[in-house]
Each structure stands twice: as structure tokens, then as C-alpha cells.
Amino acid sequence: MAGGRKHQAKRRRVEPSAAASLASPLAEGAGSTEASDDELALVPAMATMEADAAATGEAGEEAAAPAEAGEEAEDWAARRRGRQRCDLPARAETGVMRPRTMLSLVVAAYRGLPDFQRERVRGMGFGPILEIEPFFVDPPLIQVIRDRWDRVSHTFLFPWRHMVPSLEDVARITGLRVDGEAVTGVTYADYTDLTQRLLGLEPFGEGDRERRMVGRVSLLGSLGLTGMRQRAEELLPEFVERAARLARATYGQDAEDTVRADRDLHRFLVFFFGKMLFTTKGDGIHCRFLDILEDLARVGRYAWGAALLAHTFTDLSTGTGRETIVGGFTPFLQVWSYYYIPLGRATEVDPTVVPLARRWLPLVSIATYAFQLDVLRRHVPDYPALLVVWEPYAGQGDAGQPWVVSGRGLLGRDILVHCLNEIEPLRLRLWSDETEPRGIDRKTRGKAKTVDWRTRFPEQFADWHRGGQVVVSDATDSTAYLRRFQEEYGARDFMRPERDGRDTLIGQLERQLAEARVALETLRAAQMAAVQADAGGASSSRGPSVEVSSFQGRLTAAVERAERAERDLLTRTEELKGALAREAGFVSELTEQSRRLTELQSQVTQPEAELPRDMAELRALLAVERRDLERQQARWELERSHWELERERLTQQSVEARTCQGVAERLLKAFEDRYRRGRERAREQGRTSAYSESILATSSQHERNVQDGAAAQRSTGS
């Protein structure tokens, strides 16, 4: 109690300048922002110590742990987490979620290895992941992602659709190999022989028959890292270099001394697996991989990336929701979220290095864990579906990533991934007709001493070597999927986004309505009692009757007010529910439109053979229409040529007709002129008329004589 009061007094003495002085060296030259009620102040984590990792106290002696649990340890933890701003809201939580990854000490132990030992580690395929610089682990972000995990479907459920980390994500982010032999084999209840022979250490366990763990402190002592702490003013790179020097002084430097070299490498690999790659929620380090690590020449043949994914799924599926310790390689989920759900909590500092985890610098907030968690939990459901990245690696290629090239045959498949007794399904489809085998999640407890997981689950072991099942879909769009997704998961509380507190308002109105109904029933019961009392006491004095009548009037008025309030509450509730329904429909419509836009954008870059059926049909119809148009144009050209020929012929005929008309006009004019001159000459002679008449009469008589003779001849012959 005294220590707690002293600690509270120390916190009360902290002035606002302390937070500014804490953030100033981190934000120098980084453009940090002030934290307000609605946003977080983020600063680069280059100078920030690794979150709750082994650097501060977990690397100390177990015997000294109780002594450090008092005022000094609490004060040190407060300085390590940063000062809490008094104006930031807090949320009641069971505790701050802390990852068990001791990334800084593992990297220091790796850098302390001699050159020939590091070459052996790189030959096993662990070089890329061990070259990742230790960075800040973001517990609020990891907690929000873990909250979305569904244990039945083994996927993350978001309002837009489901998402699941794949083997390609593991390969690109961590640089681990995802193809090869399954990480499976034999596990034991007692590892005394293996630990003594390979590590030179003594194991411990829960009971007399179980000795499966090796002490963290004893293993750190064998690596020369006992009691390593990061000092208050020491930057993380300086701490890693100092720890590497201590480890380098402990390792054997003679490559010819194979016994010591193998023992040093076995110790490092057990520490690497237990406190970085396959971390558990306990303090000890499990020895279950010793049987596989016994033959160091075969370690590089295993699919360690697939084992990491299996262990991650197991850790997500076995939590109770109230634990404060996170197992597994937590930076994997953190960097995975950077690519698929970019929430702006990291900066890509080098877009060319591989693996992808080396490209990011997380941003550290000076806000409290509870405040960050509350902000993320409210913002993730409202995250725009248009900003979700579904193909983050499109266009990146595989240059410099042989671990991606070798594992490409397993990408895009439903397959069971193995990590000894952890066998988890990787399902890219949300709904599958296959049923999960029973007993996979059972651990080696109780009387089971030796278990060979290859013979215990032979079908699952064979599934890995068959390569799983290729995921092929014949659906033309996602309409049916989205409808079923909303039907099965849309009603869950964490799937519905909060809209400006209107859900809370509806709850308040419903509670008020329930209270009004209870009051109404009470008043009605009181009214009935008053009526019965009035009827039974009619023969009594007048005074009580007047009081009863007055009370009855007040009850009637209260009943009317309650009924009116009930009607108003019902109306407002229906209006708000209708508004929410319309808004939900609008959100679903917007999501569908964004999905269609994404599909159309992806279809633009697809080759001709991969176009959807409706697009192919549309292109065929367009080709037919184009051919018809070309034929019509050809017919128009032919008819136009015919009309041109006809026009030329008519033009020629018109020219000829005009020529003939001119000739006829000239002949008529010449004839008229000749006739006029003849008449003029006849008048001049004086005898033109008589002569003309005699000639005409003679001509007429001659014609009549010829006609009469011909008629007589015809009549005689008949």
C-alpha cells in the first residue's frame, strides 16, 4: 500500500512538460502532431524501446523477479510506456496486451554468432527474417485484429467481407520458406535426453512425468545474455549491439570444434523458435522442436513459413478473449494489416528491400493503450471498403525473393498447415463442404508420452504432400457471396458500425418506453382500485368520496400523459430504425458498387481469355454489329456508285436533249424565215394566191380521185 501511494504521488507530480520532453527526441525532424480528442499523436519509433519484450526485465534472473515487482518496477514500466496525457479518455480494460516476442534479444544473439554459424543459419532459410530490424510492436492494432478472428471459419470477419492470411503473405512478409516437408514428427513428454545431449541444459515441467520446457533464464545464460536490460537513455540499436557483443564473447569461434558449434547453434535455434517464431503465452521455452533440430543438415528442408501460419491460427483460436499475453510472431499480423487495411499506423521507409517487414517503420502514439484501442475499435467498422487493398502484391514481382518463387505452387490452395501437434486448415473460401477432422486440436497431455503426428493424422499429413486443393470459382460476381455473408454474420454486434451514437439513443428510447409501459400498467391498476373503492364506499361520508374523485382525475391525466409519451417514443424509435435501415442499405449498395469497380479495374488488365462470360459475349455482339455495319456501308457505297453512274447518264442525256432542242429551234427558225420570204415574193408577183389555190385544189381533187378508185376496187373484189 505504501509503495502504491508513493507511486501515485509520483504520477501526480508529473507535469505536462514531462510528456513533451519525452516526445521531443522522438519527434525531432519527424513532423509529429498533437493528440486531440479524436486523433492520436504518432511519432516514429526509431528511438522507442520494443514493446514489453525481453529487453526490460524478462531477460533478468527469475530469482530477482519478486524484488522487481514493487515500486521501482512499476516506475520503470511507467517510464517505458510513456506519460499519460490527462485530457485523453480512458477505457476500462483487464490489462494491456503484451506480445511475448523477444525480437531484440533474438536479433542480438544472431548477430553475435560467428560468420560460419550465420552462414549455416542463412542456409536453413532463416536469414531474411533475422535481418529484420527490431521495431515497435503495436499492441492496440494487434488486439483489434485478433478481435475479428472467427474460430469456426478460421478467418477474420470484417464488415466488407472475410480476410485470411495466406502462404504468400507469410513468404513475402517474413521471408520464410512455405514449401518443403511438413513441420511434423514426434513429440515427447520428457525431453531430458534431448536437452542434455543437444543443449546441455536440464528441462522442467508441470509434473513428474512431463519435462518439456527449458528455463528462459538458463537458456539466456548459455547465450551470454543473462540480465540484459535496455537502459533508460539507450536507443534500441545501441542495446542490440551491446547484447550482440556479449553473445559474441560466449560463442565458440572455432569452426573445427563441431561439438561446441552444434551446441551453440542448437541453443540459438531453440531460443529463436521459442521467443520469436513460435512464442507461447508462458515464460518457459518449449522443447518440442528438438527432435527436428537434432539433424541440422535437414532443418532447411522444412516449410517453416507454413508452420508459422499454423501456430498463428492456433494462438488466435485458443484465446479466451481476456488474456493479456499474445503468442506467435506478432509482427507478422501487424505488417499484414499495413498492406490490406492501411490505417496509417506505419510509414514505408524503404520500398525496395525484402522481405516486406523490413520496409516499415511503425508509428508510436503518446496516447494510452486504452484510448488507442477505443479509437481503433470505433474506426475499423467504419473503415471505407474502397480503401481495403485486396491485391497488395500486384506488380511487385518476385525479384530477389526465391522463397516466393519456390512456394508459388502452393499459393491459391486450400490446404492443412502443420506445426507438430498444431494442424490448422488454411481455407481461402469462407464456406467449404469439407468437415474438419476431430481431435486435431488436442494436445499431448496426460498419459501420452510419445506421439507421432504423422501416423496419428495420416490423411492430414498426406494432404500437405498432395498440395491441398486448388480453389476455383465459377461465380460471375460476388452478389450471392455478399448476401450470404450478411445473412450469417451481419447480425453480430462487432459487425455493425457505430453511427454517431444513434444505436445508444435507440437503446435509451427503448428503455424509456419500457419504463413508460410499466408506469402505465401501474396507473391503470391504481385507477381500477380507485374505482372499486369509490363503488364500495358510496354509503360513507362525502369527504372521502371527493378525495377519491380527485385522485381518480389525477390518475386519468397521468394515464393520458403516459399513453401520449408511449406513442411519441414509438414514433421516434420507428423513425430512427428506418433511418438506420436506409443507411445500412446505402452502405451495402456502396460496398457492392466499390466491389464492381474493383472487378472492372482488374478485368481491364486481364487477358482476353480470362474475361468474364458476359464481357466475352458483349465483345462477340460488338464484333457482329461491326460486321453488319461494314456490310451496310459496302451496300451504301455500291448504291452510291450506281447513283453516280445514273446521274452521269442523265446529265449526258440532258446535254444531248439541249443540243437537239437547239438544232430544232434553228431549223424551225430557218423554215419560218424561208416561208416568210416565199410569201413576200408571191405577193410581189401578184399571182401567189391564185397559183396557190389552184395548186391546193388540184392536189385535193387528185387525192379524192385516188381514194374513190381504191374504194371501188375493194368493193368489186369483194
Side-chain angles (χ1 to χ4, degrees):
M1 294 297 292
R5 285 194 295 271
K6 291 180 181 179
H7 179 59
Q8 293 176 3
K10 290 182 180 180
R11 293 189 61 181
R12 283 195 298 270
R13 289 195 297 269
V14 174
E15 297 180 355
S17 60
S21 63
L22 179 65
S24 58
L26 300 180
E28 183 177 358
S32 62
T33 58
E34 289 293 327
S36 62
D37 292 338
D38 296 328
E39 60 184 2
L40 305 178
L42 300 177
V43 294
M46 184 63 70
T48 304
M49 290 165 284
E50 190 175 358
D52 298 304
T56 59
E58 286 190 358
E61 294 289 346
E62 291 179 348
E68 297 171 356
E71 176 184 348
E72 182 180 357
E74 292 181 359
D75 188 58
W76 169 253
R79 293 200 308 271
R80 200 158 42 87
R81 290 192 297 267
R83 305 305 183 191
Q84 177 179 350
R85 289 172 58 102
C86 58
D87 59 340
L88 294 178
R91 175 175 176 172
E93 293 289 338
T94 57
V96 177
M97 178 163 287
R98 302 188 307 274
R100 302 294 296 185
T101 304
M102 300 172 67
L103 182 58
S104 58
L105 284 182
V106 173
V107 172
Y110 169 70
R111 294 179 181 178
L113 288 171
D115 293 339
F116 73 93
Q117 294 279 49
R118 286 202 297 271
E119 286 298 327
R120 297 176 71 183
V121 174
R122 294 191 192 101
M124 297 174 184
F126 302 132
I129 192 172
L130 288 169
E131 293 173 0
I132 300 174
E133 291 290 338
F135 58 83
F136 174 77
V137 178
D138 196 344
L141 178 61
I142 295 173
Q143 176 62 51
V144 170
I145 295 175
R146 289 174 62 91
D147 291 344
R148 293 281 168 174
W149 180 257
D150 181 61
R151 302 184 184 184
V152 178
S153 61
H154 281 70
T155 59
F156 293 109
L157 299 179
F158 293 95
W160 44 86
R161 61 177 63 183
H162 81 284
M163 305 180 78
V164 58
S166 63
L167 292 175
E168 183 177 8
D169 296 326
V170 176
R172 290 187 179 273
I173 293 174
T174 66
L176 292 174
R177 180 180 179 181
V178 296
D179 66 311
E181 299 182 15
V183 181
T184 186
V186 183
T187 56
Y188 306 93
D190 190 349
Y191 284 89
T192 302
D193 179 65
L194 285 174
T195 54
Q196 291 177 350
R197 182 161 46 88
L198 301 180
L199 305 179
L201 302 174
E202 290 292 332
F204 68 91
E206 299 177 358
D208 297 336
R209 298 183 179 180
E210 293 186 2
R211 300 173 65 85
R212 299 171 177 165
M213 313 291 290
V214 64
R216 171 182 53 83
V217 174
S218 59
L219 185 59
L220 284 173
S222 66
L223 298 174
L225 299 176
T226 302
M228 281 301 300
R229 297 172 179 270
Q230 184 175 354
R231 302 186 181 116
E233 302 299 331
E234 187 178 28
L235 300 179
L236 188 58
E238 298 174 355
F239 166 72
V240 172
E241 182 59 31
R242 182 166 62 90
R245 288 196 300 268
L246 294 177
R248 191 176 299 113
T250 305
Y251 293 135
Q253 306 295 323
D254 187 5
E256 301 297 332
D257 189 358
T258 57
V259 176
R260 182 173 181 181
D262 290 348
R263 174 166 293 184
D264 289 342
L265 191 54
H266 279 124
R267 290 172 176 175
F268 167 74
L269 290 177
V270 170
F271 182 55
F272 166 55
F273 284 175
K275 287 302 177 183
M276 180 174 171
L277 207 57
F278 306 105
T279 60
T280 57
K281 299 173 184 178
D283 186 64
I285 300 175
H286 209 289
C287 301
R288 57 178 176 160
F289 295 102
L290 277 179
D291 186 65
I292 296 178
L293 297 178
E294 184 175 7
D295 187 359
L296 294 174
R298 293 181 54 86
V299 174
R301 302 180 183 180
Y302 293 96
W304 294 107
L308 170 63
L309 194 61
H311 182 72
T312 302
F313 288 172
T314 300
D315 182 74
L316 290 170
S317 300
T318 56
T320 61
R322 299 182 60 86
E323 65 276 355
T324 59
I325 302 299
V326 181
F329 185 58
T330 49
F332 167 66
L333 289 179
Q334 185 172 333
V335 178
W336 176 83
S337 69
Y338 296 160
Y339 281 97
Y340 287 90
I341 316 172
L343 295 171
R345 297 181 67 85
T347 301
E348 191 175 18
V349 293
D350 191 348
T352 59
V353 297
V354 291
L356 302 185
R358 298 177 58 192
R359 301 183 178 185
W360 294 92
L361 177 64
L363 301 178
V364 183
S365 173
I366 62 175
T368 61
Y369 171 84
F371 177 71
Q372 296 182 63
L373 186 61
D374 183 71
V375 170
L376 287 173
R377 281 175 172 169
R378 286 188 287 108
H379 287 182
V380 168
D382 292 330
Y383 191 77
L386 290 174
L387 299 182
V388 178
V389 183
W390 295 104
E391 296 180 356
Y393 315 123
Q396 289 192 5
D398 303 336
Q401 303 180 79
W403 48 84
V404 178
V405 177
S406 63
R408 186 159 295 280
L410 293 177
L411 306 184
R413 294 172 175 264
D414 285 347
I415 194 171
L416 292 170
V417 288
H418 298 252
C419 183
L420 290 177
N421 58 321
E422 299 169 346
I423 306 175
E424 296 289 341
L426 172 60
R427 300 290 182 232
L428 303 181
R429 296 169 294 183
L430 185 58
W431 299 284
S432 177
D433 298 333
E434 301 179 9
T435 58
E436 300 300 334
R438 300 177 60 185
I440 282 186
D441 57 348
R442 295 175 59 187
K443 309 300 180 181
T444 54
R445 297 294 189 208
K447 299 180 180 179
K449 295 183 178 181
T450 302
V451 179
D452 190 344
W453 298 97
R454 293 166 295 190
T455 58
R456 184 168 182 178
F457 295 104
E459 297 180 0
Q460 288 70 41
F461 181 70
D463 177 79
W464 171 262
H465 288 282
R466 287 195 305 266
Q469 182 180 2
V470 180
V471 177
V472 179
S473 176
D474 56 354
T476 57
D477 54 33
S478 301
T479 304
Y481 163 81
L482 292 174
R483 184 183 300 111
R484 183 176 178 183
F485 182 80
Q486 290 297 327
E487 290 176 355
E488 293 196 12
Y489 302 105
R492 298 191 179 185
D493 293 337
F494 69 89
M495 296 291 288
R496 294 196 297 268
E498 297 181 3
R499 302 288 183 181
D500 302 329
R502 281 174 286 184
D503 291 338
T504 306
L505 178 59
I506 288 179
Q508 294 176 356
L509 291 176
E510 289 179 349
R511 287 193 296 271
Q512 293 177 8
L513 179 60
E515 293 175 358
R517 286 175 177 173
V518 173
L520 179 60
E521 294 297 331
T522 304
L523 291 174
R524 285 176 177 173
Q527 183 181 12
M528 294 297 298
V531 171
Q532 293 176 1
D534 189 12
S539 59
S540 61
S541 61
R542 182 175 180 82
S545 178
V546 173
E547 294 178 358
V548 170
S549 299
S550 176
F551 181 68
Q552 182 177 358
R554 291 196 301 269
L555 288 178
T556 303
V559 168
E560 292 177 355
R561 288 194 301 270
E563 290 178 347
R564 187 165 55 253
E566 182 180 6
R567 289 193 298 269
D568 294 341
L569 288 174
L570 284 174
T571 303
R572 293 182 62 187
T573 302
E574 293 298 329
E575 290 177 355
L576 287 174
K577 286 185 177 180
L580 286 177
R582 290 192 299 270
E583 189 167 355
F586 175 75
V587 169
S588 62
E589 182 179 357
L590 180 61
T591 303
E592 179 64 19
Q593 293 295 335
S594 64
R595 181 197 58 76
R596 292 181 180 178
L597 177 61
T598 305
E599 290 181 355
L600 289 177
Q601 290 176 350
S602 62
Q603 290 169 7
V604 169
T605 59
Q606 289 179 351
E608 184 72 19
E610 298 180 359
L611 288 175
R613 189 179 306 164
D614 53 353
M615 293 292 293
E617 293 177 357
L618 181 60
R619 289 197 173 225
L621 291 175
L622 289 176
V624 172
E625 292 292 339
R626 189 180 295 110
R627 288 195 297 269
D628 293 342
L629 181 60
E630 291 175 354
R631 295 194 191 98
Q632 187 70 19
Q633 289 178 349
R635 287 196 297 270
W636 288 346
E637 291 292 334
L638 182 60
E639 292 179 0
R640 190 169 64 86
S641 62
H642 290 167
W643 281 108
E644 291 289 337
L645 293 176
E646 185 68 17
R647 186 174 62 82
E648 292 176 359
R649 188 177 63 81
L650 292 176
T651 302
Q652 185 178 1
Q653 290 179 358
S654 64
V655 171
E656 293 176 355
R658 290 192 187 96
T659 304
C660 294
Q661 182 180 4
V663 173
E665 290 177 353
R666 288 194 298 271
L667 290 176
L668 179 61
K669 185 177 181 181
F671 180 76
E672 290 177 350
D673 291 341
R674 194 166 52 250
Y675 178 73
R676 188 184 310 109
R677 286 194 301 270
R679 285 178 66 84
E680 290 176 354
R681 284 195 302 268
R683 289 191 189 98
E684 291 175 357
Q685 293 177 1
R687 292 181 296 183
T688 303
S689 299
Y691 178 75
S692 298
E693 291 177 357
S694 63
I695 292 298
L696 290 173
T698 304
S699 299
S700 301
Q701 186 64 36
H702 177 70
E703 289 179 358
R704 284 194 298 273
N705 292 335
V706 172
Q707 293 175 357
D708 292 342
Q713 187 177 358
R714 285 195 300 271
S715 62
T716 303
S718 62

